[in-house]
Amino acid sequence: MMKKLKRRLGEAFDWLYMLWLKSLSDKEAEMNYIEAGARFGDGVSYLYFGEPLGFDNMFWGWARWEREYSRRGFRTLSLDDFVWFGGYGKALNGLGVKRAEGEKIILHSDIYKEEFLGKVRPVIDLKKIIETGKPQSAIFVLPGTKKND
């Protein structure tokens, strides 16, 4: 009985969430997409120290809003764009552009999940810096999803 109730409550919450999503204007969905992408991009810009607290939640928030933005027919932005925006303040270009008929949908969060999620290791050891007081340097290539065609 309890399992059935939990399932029904879950279905009700899912229905309410979908109703809420559908009530948002495209501009509101875009703003949520930008906010989630900026937050995740900022987190990615610090990966050379390791994943910041809440990194998984940042990723899944970006992925959820990217899907919604794409579902509305818009071209999505690469992770690179959000890293430079959220991590370094560069302007976002390419927002609000509808996909052409038949244009392939690109979900950059799927690319990131496949190629990088949980696979990027830190190159700077903060604990060692604190313990020894010695500086560290390293070369770190930021993960990105921009594909050169």
Side-chain angles (χ1 to χ4, degrees):
M1 184 68 154
M2 196 59 147
K3 278 186 177 182
K4 189 176 183 178
L5 178 61
K6 284 183 180 180
R7 183 176 51 80
R8 305 260 341 243
L9 279 174
E11 290 170 357
F13 281 120
D14 288 347
W15 180 82
L16 286 170
Y17 178 73
M18 292 307 296
L19 187 65
W20 173 75
L21 268 184
K22 289 178 181 178
S23 75
L24 295 178
S25 69
D26 287 349
K27 195 64 176 170
E28 289 170 317
E30 180 178 271
M31 294 308 295
N32 282 302
Y33 174 51
I34 292 169
E35 184 179 326
R39 189 175 302 119
F40 185 64
D42 185 47
V44 169
S45 74
Y46 289 100
L47 280 180
Y48 56 90
F49 285 125
E51 290 183 356
L53 290 175
F55 189 74
D56 282 347
N57 287 337
M58 290 178 212
F59 170 76
W60 291 110
W62 171 55
R64 181 176 50 248
W65 283 108
E66 181 183 49
R67 277 193 170 8
E68 178 59 22
Y69 191 66
S70 176
R71 185 190 69 75
R72 292 168 181 250
F74 294 100
R75 289 181 183 163
T76 58
L77 301 181
S78 73
L79 172 61
D80 309 61
D81 293 327
F82 283 117
V83 167
W84 286 105
F85 174 70
Y88 305 103
K90 184 179 176 190
L92 285 175
N93 295 314
L95 288 167
V97 178
K98 290 278 192 172
R99 286 189 310 275
E101 192 172 324
E103 182 178 343
K104 181 181 175 190
I105 295 171
I106 299 173
L107 294 174
H108 294 276
S109 57
D110 285 354
I111 296 169
Y112 185 85
K113 185 171 78 172
E114 179 70 29
E115 294 184 19
F116 302 109
L117 190 61
K119 298 175 186 174
V120 179
R121 300 289 166 237
V123 295
I124 301 290
D125 186 344
L126 279 177
K127 185 177 177 186
K128 193 170 186 178
I129 291 173
I130 292 168
E131 288 172 354
T132 67
K134 294 182 180 177
Q136 294 179 19
S137 64
I139 295 174
F140 181 75
V141 178
L142 286 168
T145 61
K146 188 175 280 184
K147 302 293 183 189
N148 297 332
D149 295 320

